[in-house]
């Protein structure tokens, strides 16, 4: 698969590189790392994402070049960290790419193989790890900026090398990126140790109303709560990862309602429990221990559906 991807890249010139909506650190890091490598190959990549770069990742070199409105013609599309075409959002729909080949590079178990070339490696801890392998395969020398972006992807998707898929291969990839000039302590400081007080206030609000239902711990964030706390970004700011640390819970869920009423559902599970199937059945996707989906309002109906599906999955998986 990597050779087929490399062949398409060698033949192309103007390349649309695009990641999923509501981008995370792996999506942004992979996008920037691959974009830089393609430029070094003499290609003309345009980096696209439907949503703005989250504040946390604005320290990454080149992030200001990511656009939500890719212009002009392209002869190749590279999709990164995205399990289906829908999740590429508006930039993909609007771009002039009809009939052009798509390279689908992803590590989500729920990937639906929508590409011309599908390189889906569910054993990879991050898409950035696969991008590193591709960059090396293409023979592009790493530089410190490229290495920083790719290591950002690995560090965030493994929550700082703590997820069960952190294999020696992942650590070896991180080692190569550090040797190329990326600083692991600097990245960890940027992405784990700094958060705006508005986010802490929002967590405080959400935590007072969280509920434990069996072994499912869940919380809600509404647009009103975000306004009260002057929190400008969507999502939960990582709250779901904090909730799943409760020893009384096997699954944590955060329901983050958007301004338009849509409910963004983030789920986390302890090792041994798989929530990716629940997310997929509700139109989303993800990994066994970290998955999500988007549901239509009303909020209460979305909560009822998700909680029911999660409890059913827990019953099936634990036999309780
Ligand atoms: Mn990822």
């Amino acid at each position: 698969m990597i050779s087929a991807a490399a062949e398409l890249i060698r033949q192309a010139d103007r390349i649309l590189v695009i990641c999923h909506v509501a981008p995370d650190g792996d999506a942004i890091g992979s996008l920037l790392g691959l974009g830089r490598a393609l430029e070094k190959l003499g290609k003309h990549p345009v980096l696209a994402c439907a949503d703005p770069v989250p504040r946390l990742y604005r320290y990454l070199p080149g992030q200001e070049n990511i656009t939500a409105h890719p212009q002009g013609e392209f002869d190749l599309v590279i999709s990164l960290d995205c399990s289906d075409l829908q999740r590429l959002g508006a930039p993909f729909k609007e771009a002039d790419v009809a009939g052009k080949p798509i390279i689908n590079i992803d590590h989500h178990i729920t990937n639906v193989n929508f590409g011309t070339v599908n390189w889906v490696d569910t054993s990879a801890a991050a898409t950035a790890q696969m991008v590193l392998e591709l960059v090396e395969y293409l023979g592009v020398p790493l530089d410190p900026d490229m290495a920083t972006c790719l290591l950002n992807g690995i560090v965030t998707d493994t929550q700082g090398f703590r997820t069960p898929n952190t294999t020696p291969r992942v650590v070896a990839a991180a080692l190569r990126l550090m040797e190329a000039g990326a600083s692991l302590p600097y990245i960890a400081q940027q992405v784990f140790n700094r958060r705006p007080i508005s986010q802490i206030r929002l967590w405080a609000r959400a935590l007072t109303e969280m509920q434990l239902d069996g072994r499912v711990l869940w919380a809600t964030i509404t647009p009103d709560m975000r306004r009260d706390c002057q929190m400008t970004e969507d999502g939960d700011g990582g709250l779901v990862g904090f909730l799943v640390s409760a020893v009384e819970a096997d699954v944590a869920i955060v329901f983050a309602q958007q301004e338009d009423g849509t409910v963004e559902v983030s789920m986390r599970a302890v090792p041994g429990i798989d929530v990716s199937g629940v997310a997929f059945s509700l139109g989303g996707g993800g990994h066994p221990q970290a998955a999500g989906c988007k549901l239509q309002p009303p909020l209460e109906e979305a909560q009822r559906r998700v909680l029911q599906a999660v409890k059913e999955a827990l019953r099936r998986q634990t036999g309780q």
Side-chain angles (χ1 to χ4, degrees):
M1 278 306 108
I2 193 167
S3 58
E7 194 46 42
L8 279 177
I9 289 171
R10 287 199 184 100
Q11 288 165 11
D13 175 44
R14 248 187 137 249
I15 304 172
L16 177 65
V17 191
I18 182 166
C19 69
H20 57 77
V21 298
D24 56 17
D26 186 27
I28 296 294
S30 298
L31 194 62
L32 293 172
L34 182 58
R36 219 177 150 77
L38 292 174
E39 274 172 8
K40 284 198 164 184
L41 266 182
K43 308 296 177 186
H44 295 92
V46 172
L47 310 184
C49 182
D51 293 311
V53 175
R55 193 196 46 80
L56 219 52
Y57 309 122
R58 293 201 193 135
Y59 82 96
L60 289 173
Q63 59 85 20
E64 65 283 354
N65 298 322
I66 298 175
T67 178
H69 305 285
Q71 304 289 321
E73 285 178 25
F74 298 97
D75 36 36
L76 175 65
V77 179
I78 304 178
S79 166
L80 295 172
D81 200 43
C82 184
S83 46
D84 63 80
L85 284 178
Q86 203 60 32
R87 266 179 74 71
L88 291 176
F92 178 75
K93 288 195 199 94
E94 290 163 12
D96 187 3
V97 293
K100 303 300 182 198
I102 301 175
I103 302 175
N104 167 18
I105 304 177
D106 187 27
H107 68 131
H108 291 93
I109 196 161
T110 50
N111 193 289
V112 295
N113 293 317
F114 56 84
T116 318
V117 169
N118 296 294
W119 181 26
V120 179
D121 180 358
T122 57
S123 76
T127 296
Q129 183 190 337
M130 301 172 70
V131 171
L132 170 64
E133 286 166 18
L134 177 62
V135 168
E136 290 171 333
Y137 187 89
L138 287 165
V140 181
L142 292 166
D143 67 24
D145 283 356
M146 206 191 296
T148 300
C149 294
L150 294 179
L151 189 54
N152 180 86
I154 293 175
V155 167
T156 53
D157 255 23
T158 59
Q159 296 163 36
F161 302 101
R162 291 184 302 170
T163 53
N165 58 2
T166 305
T167 58
R169 192 177 137 220
V170 179
V171 180
L175 173 66
R176 298 204 294 283
L177 293 168
M178 289 184 76
E179 282 169 346
S183 165
L184 179 56
Y186 173 69
I187 293 170
Q189 176 67 12
Q190 298 299 319
V191 301
F192 295 128
N193 297 344
R194 308 291 295 163
R195 50 172 58 95
I197 194 161
S198 57
Q199 188 180 307
I200 296 171
R201 288 203 174 101
L202 184 68
W203 283 24
R205 277 286 299 274
L207 289 172
T208 54
E209 289 162 36
M210 72 179 179
Q211 296 190 45
L212 182 65
D213 185 350
R215 297 209 40 101
V216 182
L217 185 60
W218 61 277
T220 304
I221 292 171
T222 64
D224 276 345
M225 289 162 69
R226 261 196 215 93
R227 267 190 294 276
D228 290 349
C229 302
Q230 275 134 41
M231 176 83 172
T232 50
E233 286 191 13
D234 286 350
D236 69 8
L239 175 61
V240 72
F242 177 59
L243 292 183
V244 79
S245 67
V247 289
E248 291 79 3
D250 288 330
V251 175
I253 312 169
V254 170
F255 299 92
Q257 190 164 39
Q258 313 300 303
E259 286 290 345
D260 67 1
T262 317
V263 185
E264 221 173 73
V265 184
S266 309
M267 292 180 270
R268 294 290 181 278
V270 296
I273 300 292
D274 183 342
V275 285
S276 67
V278 170
F280 190 74
S281 73
L282 295 168
H287 306 286
Q289 272 90 49
C293 58
K294 264 187 186 185
L295 296 176
Q296 292 309 307
L299 175 64
E300 294 70 23
E301 172 63 14
Q303 290 173 326
R304 195 193 57 74
R305 281 181 70 192
V306 173
L307 286 167
Q308 190 181 8
V310 165
K311 281 192 270 180
E312 228 172 80
L314 268 179
R315 258 196 305 277
R316 244 191 343 264
Q317 292 175 32
T318 63
Q320 288 164 9

Short mmCIF file of all heavy atoms in Angstrom, two decimals, residues 139-197:
data_model
loop_
_atom_site.label_atom_id
_atom_site.label_comp_id
_atom_site.label_asym_id
_atom_site.label_seq_id
_atom_site.Cartn_x
_atom_site.Cartn_y
_atom_site.Cartn_z
N GLY A 139 11.98 8.98 0.70
CA GLY A 139 13.37 9.44 0.73
C GLY A 139 13.53 10.91 1.03
O GLY A 139 14.56 11.50 0.71
N VAL A 140 12.52 11.51 1.66
CA VAL A 140 12.61 12.93 2.01
C VAL A 140 13.32 13.05 3.37
O VAL A 140 12.89 12.42 4.34
CB VAL A 140 11.21 13.57 2.13
CG1 VAL A 140 11.31 15.05 2.47
CG2 VAL A 140 10.43 13.38 0.84
N PRO A 141 14.42 13.82 3.43
CA PRO A 141 15.08 13.98 4.73
C PRO A 141 14.20 14.75 5.72
O PRO A 141 13.56 15.74 5.34
CB PRO A 141 16.36 14.76 4.40
CG PRO A 141 16.19 15.29 3.01
CD PRO A 141 15.07 14.56 2.34
N LEU A 142 14.16 14.29 6.96
CA LEU A 142 13.37 14.98 8.00
C LEU A 142 14.07 16.28 8.39
O LEU A 142 15.29 16.36 8.35
CB LEU A 142 13.26 14.09 9.24
CG LEU A 142 12.45 12.82 9.12
CD1 LEU A 142 12.72 11.91 10.31
CD2 LEU A 142 10.96 13.15 9.03
N ASP A 143 13.29 17.28 8.76
CA ASP A 143 13.88 18.47 9.38
C ASP A 143 13.18 18.70 10.72
O ASP A 143 12.16 18.04 11.02
CB ASP A 143 13.81 19.69 8.43
CG ASP A 143 12.39 20.15 8.19
OD1 ASP A 143 11.50 19.88 9.03
OD2 ASP A 143 12.15 20.79 7.15
N PRO A 144 13.69 19.58 11.57
CA PRO A 144 13.11 19.75 12.90
C PRO A 144 11.62 20.13 12.90
O PRO A 144 10.85 19.63 13.72
CB PRO A 144 13.95 20.87 13.52
CG PRO A 144 15.28 20.75 12.83
CD PRO A 144 14.95 20.35 11.42
N ASP A 145 11.20 20.98 11.95
CA ASP A 145 9.79 21.38 11.90
C ASP A 145 8.89 20.19 11.54
O ASP A 145 7.84 19.96 12.16
CB ASP A 145 9.58 22.50 10.87
CG ASP A 145 10.03 23.85 11.40
OD1 ASP A 145 10.41 23.90 12.60
OD2 ASP A 145 10.00 24.84 10.65
N MET A 146 9.30 19.45 10.52
CA MET A 146 8.52 18.28 10.10
C MET A 146 8.44 17.28 11.26
O MET A 146 7.38 16.74 11.57
CB MET A 146 9.24 17.63 8.91
CG MET A 146 8.37 16.84 7.97
SD MET A 146 9.38 15.89 6.81
CE MET A 146 10.21 17.17 5.89
N ALA A 147 9.58 17.06 11.90
CA ALA A 147 9.65 16.10 13.01
C ALA A 147 8.76 16.55 14.17
O ALA A 147 8.08 15.73 14.80
CB ALA A 147 11.10 15.94 13.46
N THR A 148 8.73 17.84 14.45
CA THR A 148 7.90 18.37 15.54
C THR A 148 6.43 18.12 15.26
O THR A 148 5.68 17.67 16.13
CB THR A 148 8.16 19.88 15.72
OG1 THR A 148 9.54 20.07 16.04
CG2 THR A 148 7.29 20.46 16.84
N CYS A 149 6.00 18.39 14.02
CA CYS A 149 4.58 18.19 13.66
C CYS A 149 4.20 16.71 13.79
O CYS A 149 3.14 16.38 14.34
CB CYS A 149 4.34 18.69 12.24
SG CYS A 149 4.55 20.47 12.07
N LEU A 150 5.05 15.84 13.29
CA LEU A 150 4.72 14.41 13.33
C LEU A 150 4.77 13.87 14.77
O LEU A 150 3.91 13.07 15.16
CB LEU A 150 5.67 13.62 12.42
CG LEU A 150 5.53 13.94 10.92
CD1 LEU A 150 6.53 13.13 10.10
CD2 LEU A 150 4.10 13.67 10.42
N LEU A 151 5.74 14.32 15.55
CA LEU A 151 5.80 13.85 16.94
C LEU A 151 4.60 14.38 17.73
O LEU A 151 4.08 13.70 18.61
CB LEU A 151 7.13 14.27 17.60
CG LEU A 151 7.38 13.66 18.98
CD1 LEU A 151 7.28 12.13 18.97
CD2 LEU A 151 8.75 14.08 19.53
N ASN A 152 4.14 15.59 17.38
CA ASN A 152 2.92 16.12 18.01
C ASN A 152 1.75 15.15 17.80
O ASN A 152 0.95 14.92 18.70
CB ASN A 152 2.59 17.49 17.41
CG ASN A 152 1.34 18.11 18.01
OD1 ASN A 152 1.39 18.77 19.03
ND2 ASN A 152 0.18 17.87 17.39
N GLY A 153 1.66 14.59 16.60
CA GLY A 153 0.60 13.62 16.29
C GLY A 153 0.70 12.37 17.14
O GLY A 153 -0.29 11.89 17.69
N ILE A 154 1.91 11.85 17.25
CA ILE A 154 2.11 10.61 18.03
C ILE A 154 1.88 10.86 19.52
O ILE A 154 1.20 10.09 20.20
CB ILE A 154 3.53 10.05 17.78
CG1 ILE A 154 3.66 9.58 16.32
CG2 ILE A 154 3.84 8.91 18.74
CD1 ILE A 154 5.05 9.11 15.93
N VAL A 155 2.41 11.96 20.02
CA VAL A 155 2.29 12.27 21.45
C VAL A 155 0.82 12.47 21.85
O VAL A 155 0.37 11.97 22.88
CB VAL A 155 3.13 13.52 21.81
CG1 VAL A 155 2.77 14.05 23.19
CG2 VAL A 155 4.61 13.19 21.74
N THR A 156 0.06 13.17 21.01
CA THR A 156 -1.33 13.44 21.40
C THR A 156 -2.20 12.20 21.25
O THR A 156 -3.02 11.92 22.12
CB THR A 156 -1.92 14.61 20.58
OG1 THR A 156 -1.74 14.37 19.18
CG2 THR A 156 -1.25 15.92 20.95
N ASP A 157 -2.04 11.44 20.15
CA ASP A 157 -2.89 10.26 19.97
C ASP A 157 -2.59 9.17 20.99
O ASP A 157 -3.46 8.34 21.28
CB ASP A 157 -2.78 9.71 18.54
CG ASP A 157 -4.01 10.07 17.71
OD1 ASP A 157 -4.69 11.04 18.05
OD2 ASP A 157 -4.29 9.36 16.71
N THR A 158 -1.38 9.13 21.52
CA THR A 158 -1.07 8.13 22.54
C THR A 158 -1.20 8.72 23.95
O THR A 158 -0.84 8.06 24.94
CB THR A 158 0.38 7.59 22.41
OG1 THR A 158 1.29 8.69 22.53
CG2 THR A 158 0.61 6.89 21.08
N GLN A 159 -1.71 9.96 24.04
CA GLN A 159 -1.82 10.65 25.34
C GLN A 159 -0.50 10.60 26.09
O GLN A 159 -0.46 10.31 27.29
CB GLN A 159 -2.95 10.03 26.17
CG GLN A 159 -4.33 10.21 25.54
CD GLN A 159 -5.35 9.27 26.12
OE1 GLN A 159 -5.33 8.98 27.31
NE2 GLN A 159 -6.25 8.78 25.29
N GLY A 160 0.56 10.88 25.36
CA GLY A 160 1.87 10.87 26.01
C GLY A 160 2.39 9.45 26.23
O GLY A 160 2.88 9.15 27.31
N PHE A 161 2.25 8.60 25.21
CA PHE A 161 2.75 7.21 25.25
C PHE A 161 2.12 6.41 26.38
O PHE A 161 2.77 5.61 27.05
CB PHE A 161 4.30 7.22 25.40
CG PHE A 161 4.97 7.97 24.29
CD1 PHE A 161 5.43 9.27 24.50
CD2 PHE A 161 5.10 7.42 23.02
CE1 PHE A 161 6.03 9.99 23.47
CE2 PHE A 161 5.69 8.12 21.99
CZ PHE A 161 6.16 9.42 22.21
N ARG A 162 0.81 6.62 26.59
CA ARG A 162 0.13 5.90 27.67
C ARG A 162 -0.96 4.96 27.18
O ARG A 162 -1.53 4.22 27.97
CB ARG A 162 -0.48 6.92 28.66
CG ARG A 162 0.58 7.67 29.46
CD ARG A 162 -0.07 8.57 30.48
NE ARG A 162 -0.98 9.53 29.84
CZ ARG A 162 -1.82 10.31 30.50
NH1 ARG A 162 -1.89 10.24 31.81
NH2 ARG A 162 -2.58 11.16 29.85
N THR A 163 -1.32 5.01 25.87
CA THR A 163 -2.41 4.16 25.39
C THR A 163 -1.91 2.73 25.15
O THR A 163 -0.71 2.52 24.95
CB THR A 163 -2.99 4.73 24.09
OG1 THR A 163 -1.93 4.93 23.16
CG2 THR A 163 -3.70 6.05 24.34
N PRO A 164 -2.83 1.74 25.17
CA PRO A 164 -2.40 0.34 25.04
C PRO A 164 -1.71 0.05 23.70
O PRO A 164 -1.01 -0.96 23.59
CB PRO A 164 -3.71 -0.45 25.14
CG PRO A 164 -4.73 0.48 25.66
CD PRO A 164 -4.27 1.87 25.40
N ASN A 165 -1.89 0.91 22.69
CA ASN A 165 -1.25 0.65 21.40
C ASN A 165 0.14 1.28 21.30
O ASN A 165 0.71 1.39 20.22
CB ASN A 165 -2.15 1.12 20.24
CG ASN A 165 -2.47 2.60 20.33
OD1 ASN A 165 -1.99 3.30 21.22
ND2 ASN A 165 -3.27 3.09 19.40
N THR A 166 0.70 1.70 22.43
CA THR A 166 2.07 2.24 22.43
C THR A 166 3.06 1.09 22.42
O THR A 166 3.45 0.57 23.47
CB THR A 166 2.30 3.16 23.65
OG1 THR A 166 1.29 4.18 23.66
CG2 THR A 166 3.66 3.83 23.57
N THR A 167 3.44 0.67 21.21
CA THR A 167 4.34 -0.47 21.02
C THR A 167 5.78 0.03 20.87
O THR A 167 6.02 1.24 20.70
CB THR A 167 3.96 -1.22 19.74
OG1 THR A 167 4.03 -0.28 18.66
CG2 THR A 167 2.55 -1.78 19.82
N PRO A 168 6.75 -0.90 20.88
CA PRO A 168 8.13 -0.49 20.60
C PRO A 168 8.25 0.25 19.26
O PRO A 168 9.05 1.17 19.12
CB PRO A 168 8.88 -1.83 20.56
CG PRO A 168 8.10 -2.72 21.44
CD PRO A 168 6.66 -2.32 21.26
N ARG A 169 7.42 -0.13 18.27
CA ARG A 169 7.47 0.52 16.96
C ARG A 169 7.10 2.02 17.07
O ARG A 169 7.66 2.85 16.38
CB ARG A 169 6.47 -0.20 16.03
CG ARG A 169 6.62 0.17 14.57
CD ARG A 169 5.64 -0.67 13.72
NE ARG A 169 5.01 0.17 12.72
CZ ARG A 169 3.74 0.09 12.37
NH1 ARG A 169 2.94 -0.79 12.96
NH2 ARG A 169 3.26 0.88 11.45
N VAL A 170 6.14 2.31 17.97
CA VAL A 170 5.73 3.71 18.18
C VAL A 170 6.87 4.50 18.81
O VAL A 170 7.20 5.61 18.39
CB VAL A 170 4.48 3.78 19.10
CG1 VAL A 170 4.06 5.22 19.32
CG2 VAL A 170 3.34 2.97 18.51
N VAL A 171 7.47 3.90 19.83
CA VAL A 171 8.56 4.59 20.53
C VAL A 171 9.76 4.75 19.59
O VAL A 171 10.45 5.77 19.61
CB VAL A 171 8.94 3.82 21.82
CG1 VAL A 171 10.08 4.52 22.55
CG2 VAL A 171 7.73 3.73 22.73
N ALA A 172 9.98 3.76 18.72
CA ALA A 172 11.08 3.85 17.76
C ALA A 172 10.83 5.01 16.77
O ALA A 172 11.76 5.73 16.40
CB ALA A 172 11.23 2.53 17.00
N ALA A 173 9.57 5.17 16.36
CA ALA A 173 9.23 6.28 15.46
C ALA A 173 9.49 7.62 16.17
O ALA A 173 10.07 8.54 15.59
CB ALA A 173 7.77 6.18 15.03
N ALA A 174 9.09 7.70 17.43
CA ALA A 174 9.32 8.92 18.21
C ALA A 174 10.81 9.20 18.35
O ALA A 174 11.26 10.35 18.27
CB ALA A 174 8.67 8.79 19.59
N LEU A 175 11.59 8.14 18.53
CA LEU A 175 13.04 8.29 18.65
C LEU A 175 13.63 8.90 17.38
O LEU A 175 14.42 9.84 17.44
CB LEU A 175 13.67 6.92 18.92
CG LEU A 175 15.19 6.85 18.91
CD1 LEU A 175 15.77 7.66 20.06
CD2 LEU A 175 15.69 5.41 18.96
N ARG A 176 13.18 8.40 16.22
CA ARG A 176 13.70 8.94 14.95
C ARG A 176 13.33 10.41 14.81
O ARG A 176 14.12 11.22 14.32
CB ARG A 176 13.15 8.14 13.76
CG ARG A 176 13.56 6.68 13.77
CD ARG A 176 13.53 6.05 12.40
NE ARG A 176 12.21 5.92 11.79
CZ ARG A 176 11.31 4.99 12.11
NH1 ARG A 176 11.55 4.13 13.09
NH2 ARG A 176 10.15 4.94 11.48
N LEU A 177 12.12 10.77 15.26
CA LEU A 177 11.68 12.17 15.16
C LEU A 177 12.48 13.06 16.11
O LEU A 177 12.82 14.19 15.77
CB LEU A 177 10.17 12.27 15.44
CG LEU A 177 9.30 11.60 14.36
CD1 LEU A 177 7.86 11.46 14.84
CD2 LEU A 177 9.35 12.39 13.06
N MET A 178 12.80 12.54 17.29
CA MET A 178 13.63 13.31 18.22
C MET A 178 15.03 13.48 17.66
O MET A 178 15.63 14.56 17.76
CB MET A 178 13.68 12.62 19.59
CG MET A 178 12.36 12.71 20.34
SD MET A 178 12.47 12.01 22.00
CE MET A 178 13.35 13.32 22.85
N GLU A 179 15.54 12.42 17.05
CA GLU A 179 16.89 12.52 16.46
C GLU A 179 16.91 13.53 15.32
O GLU A 179 17.95 14.13 15.03
CB GLU A 179 17.36 11.14 15.98
CG GLU A 179 17.84 10.27 17.13
CD GLU A 179 18.06 8.81 16.76
OE1 GLU A 179 17.60 8.38 15.68
OE2 GLU A 179 18.66 8.10 17.57
N ALA A 180 15.74 13.73 14.68
CA ALA A 180 15.65 14.71 13.58
C ALA A 180 15.43 16.13 14.11
O ALA A 180 15.34 17.07 13.32
CB ALA A 180 14.52 14.32 12.63
N GLY A 181 15.31 16.28 15.43
CA GLY A 181 15.26 17.63 15.98
C GLY A 181 13.99 18.00 16.73
O GLY A 181 13.85 19.14 17.18
N ALA A 182 13.03 17.06 16.86
CA ALA A 182 11.82 17.37 17.62
C ALA A 182 12.11 17.23 19.11
O ALA A 182 12.82 16.32 19.52
CB ALA A 182 10.70 16.42 17.21
N SER A 183 11.56 18.13 19.91
CA SER A 183 11.75 18.07 21.36
C SER A 183 10.50 17.50 22.03
O SER A 183 9.45 18.14 22.03
CB SER A 183 12.06 19.47 21.92
OG SER A 183 11.89 19.45 23.33
N LEU A 184 10.65 16.31 22.60
CA LEU A 184 9.51 15.69 23.29
C LEU A 184 9.05 16.51 24.50
O LEU A 184 7.85 16.76 24.65
CB LEU A 184 9.87 14.26 23.67
CG LEU A 184 8.81 13.45 24.41
CD1 LEU A 184 7.50 13.38 23.64
CD2 LEU A 184 9.32 12.04 24.70
N PRO A 185 9.95 16.98 25.36
CA PRO A 185 9.48 17.79 26.51
C PRO A 185 8.76 19.06 26.08
O PRO A 185 7.75 19.44 26.69
CB PRO A 185 10.78 18.15 27.26
CG PRO A 185 11.83 17.26 26.73
CD PRO A 185 11.40 16.75 25.39
N TYR A 186 9.24 19.71 25.01
CA TYR A 186 8.60 20.93 24.53
C TYR A 186 7.18 20.64 24.05
O TYR A 186 6.22 21.34 24.40
CB TYR A 186 9.45 21.53 23.41
CG TYR A 186 8.83 22.71 22.69
CD1 TYR A 186 8.67 23.94 23.34
CD2 TYR A 186 8.39 22.59 21.37
CE1 TYR A 186 8.11 25.02 22.67
CE2 TYR A 186 7.82 23.66 20.70
CZ TYR A 186 7.67 24.88 21.36
OH TYR A 186 7.11 25.93 20.71
N ILE A 187 7.04 19.57 23.27
CA ILE A 187 5.71 19.21 22.75
C ILE A 187 4.78 18.85 23.91
O ILE A 187 3.63 19.31 23.98
CB ILE A 187 5.82 18.03 21.75
CG1 ILE A 187 6.57 18.50 20.49
CG2 ILE A 187 4.44 17.48 21.39
CD1 ILE A 187 6.95 17.37 19.55
N ALA A 188 5.27 18.04 24.85
CA ALA A 188 4.44 17.63 26.00
C ALA A 188 3.99 18.86 26.79
O ALA A 188 2.83 18.94 27.22
CB ALA A 188 5.23 16.67 26.89
N GLN A 189 4.88 19.82 26.97
CA GLN A 189 4.53 21.04 27.70
C GLN A 189 3.42 21.79 26.95
O GLN A 189 2.46 22.26 27.56
CB GLN A 189 5.78 21.92 27.85
CG GLN A 189 5.54 23.26 28.52
CD GLN A 189 5.15 23.14 29.99
OE1 GLN A 189 5.27 22.08 30.59
NE2 GLN A 189 4.66 24.23 30.56
N GLN A 190 3.55 21.90 25.63
CA GLN A 190 2.55 22.63 24.83
C GLN A 190 1.17 21.98 24.90
O GLN A 190 0.17 22.66 25.01
CB GLN A 190 2.98 22.69 23.35
CG GLN A 190 4.27 23.43 23.08
CD GLN A 190 4.21 24.87 23.50
OE1 GLN A 190 3.21 25.54 23.29
NE2 GLN A 190 5.27 25.35 24.12
N VAL A 191 1.14 20.65 24.78
CA VAL A 191 -0.16 20.00 24.59
C VAL A 191 -0.81 19.44 25.86
O VAL A 191 -2.01 19.23 25.89
CB VAL A 191 -0.10 18.89 23.51
CG1 VAL A 191 0.35 19.46 22.18
CG2 VAL A 191 0.81 17.74 23.92
N PHE A 192 0.00 19.21 26.91
CA PHE A 192 -0.59 18.61 28.11
C PHE A 192 -0.61 19.54 29.33
O PHE A 192 -1.44 19.38 30.21
CB PHE A 192 0.15 17.33 28.50
CG PHE A 192 0.03 16.23 27.48
CD1 PHE A 192 1.15 15.60 27.00
CD2 PHE A 192 -1.22 15.84 27.01
CE1 PHE A 192 1.05 14.59 26.05
CE2 PHE A 192 -1.33 14.83 26.06
CZ PHE A 192 -0.19 14.21 25.58
N ASN A 193 0.34 20.44 29.40
CA ASN A 193 0.51 21.16 30.66
C ASN A 193 -0.03 22.57 30.66
O ASN A 193 0.14 23.28 31.64
CB ASN A 193 2.00 21.18 31.04
CG ASN A 193 2.53 19.78 31.28
OD1 ASN A 193 1.75 18.86 31.46
ND2 ASN A 193 3.83 19.64 31.27
N ARG A 194 -0.62 23.02 29.58
CA ARG A 194 -1.12 24.38 29.51
C ARG A 194 -2.57 24.37 29.05
O ARG A 194 -2.91 23.72 28.08
CB ARG A 194 -0.31 25.22 28.50
CG ARG A 194 1.17 25.19 28.72
CD ARG A 194 1.61 25.90 29.96
NE ARG A 194 1.34 27.34 29.91
CZ ARG A 194 1.32 28.11 30.98
NH1 ARG A 194 1.52 27.60 32.17
NH2 ARG A 194 1.09 29.40 30.87
N ARG A 195 -3.46 25.04 29.76
CA ARG A 195 -4.84 25.18 29.31
C ARG A 195 -5.39 26.50 29.82
O ARG A 195 -5.01 26.98 30.89
CB ARG A 195 -5.71 24.00 29.76
CG ARG A 195 -5.64 23.64 31.22
CD ARG A 195 -6.68 22.59 31.57
NE ARG A 195 -6.54 21.38 30.80
CZ ARG A 195 -5.88 20.30 31.20
NH1 ARG A 195 -5.27 20.30 32.37
NH2 ARG A 195 -5.80 19.23 30.45
N PRO A 196 -6.28 27.13 29.03
CA PRO A 196 -6.85 28.39 29.49
C PRO A 196 -7.77 28.18 30.69
O PRO A 196 -8.39 27.12 30.82
CB PRO A 196 -7.64 28.89 28.28
CG PRO A 196 -7.84 27.71 27.41
CD PRO A 196 -6.78 26.71 27.72
N ILE A 197 -7.87 29.19 31.54
CA ILE A 197 -8.69 29.07 32.74
C ILE A 197 -10.16 28.91 32.37
O ILE A 197 -10.94 28.27 33.10
CB ILE A 197 -8.46 30.26 33.70
CG1 ILE A 197 -9.05 29.94 35.08
CG2 ILE A 197 -9.04 31.56 33.14
CD1 ILE A 197 -8.52 30.80 36.19
#
